[in-house]
Amino acid sequence: MPLPDSLRTVVAVAVYWTAIALGGSVLLPDPTSPLVAVPILGGGAVVAHAARTDRLVPLGYAVGTMWLAVLALSIGTGVVDVVAPPAGEIAPLADYPGIAAVGTVGLIAVLVAAYGAFVRRSAERDAGEPA
């Protein structure tokens, strides 16, 4: 028995918003930091736009792109820690408040830019198809 479209949309919105909130706040050292509003509200705005304009597929690609940026940050930090360690150990990125703030805002910027690019690509593809 297929799911109704409204239930599918609600589930997709919940999954995407959770993925954005978790991925966008990965660099925050304190989960009660005021910066947690950036991924929650920014992600909510992007998800709401995607749900209203029926662009959940491009949103999925954008969320995947944001998680690729999280992966790149993780790998990059690990490589720097192994290849070029300073006198001591490199502290996690989240221990530096400036990096945590820039990284959190940067991850949401990656999400918004990727969402815009995937929506534009989808619109161009739809415009090229005969009706």
Side-chain angles (χ1 to χ4, degrees):
M1 180 170 141
L3 292 173
D5 284 343
S6 59
L7 181 59
R8 244 187 251 162
T9 300
V10 167
V11 170
V13 164
V15 168
Y16 289 147
W17 198 4
T18 301
I20 292 167
L22 290 174
S25 62
V26 75
L27 293 176
L28 296 177
D30 181 15
T32 61
S33 167
L35 273 174
V36 79
V38 172
I40 290 174
L41 296 178
V46 173
V47 170
H49 180 268
R52 271 188 275 121
T53 59
D54 196 29
R55 297 289 186 182
L56 290 173
V57 172
L59 176 63
Y61 290 126
V63 170
T65 302
M66 183 191 76
W67 274 97
L68 284 174
V70 170
L71 179 64
L73 280 171
S74 299
I75 291 172
T77 302
V79 167
V80 167
D81 193 28
V82 169
V83 173
E89 210 175 291
I90 292 181
L93 285 177
D95 287 347
Y96 301 107
I99 292 176
V102 169
T104 300
V105 172
L107 287 172
I108 298 304
V110 166
L111 173 76
V112 170
Y115 177 65
F118 286 118
V119 165
R120 186 172 36 260
R121 181 176 159 206
S122 176
E124 288 170 357
R125 186 183 64 233
D126 291 347
E129 292 180 358

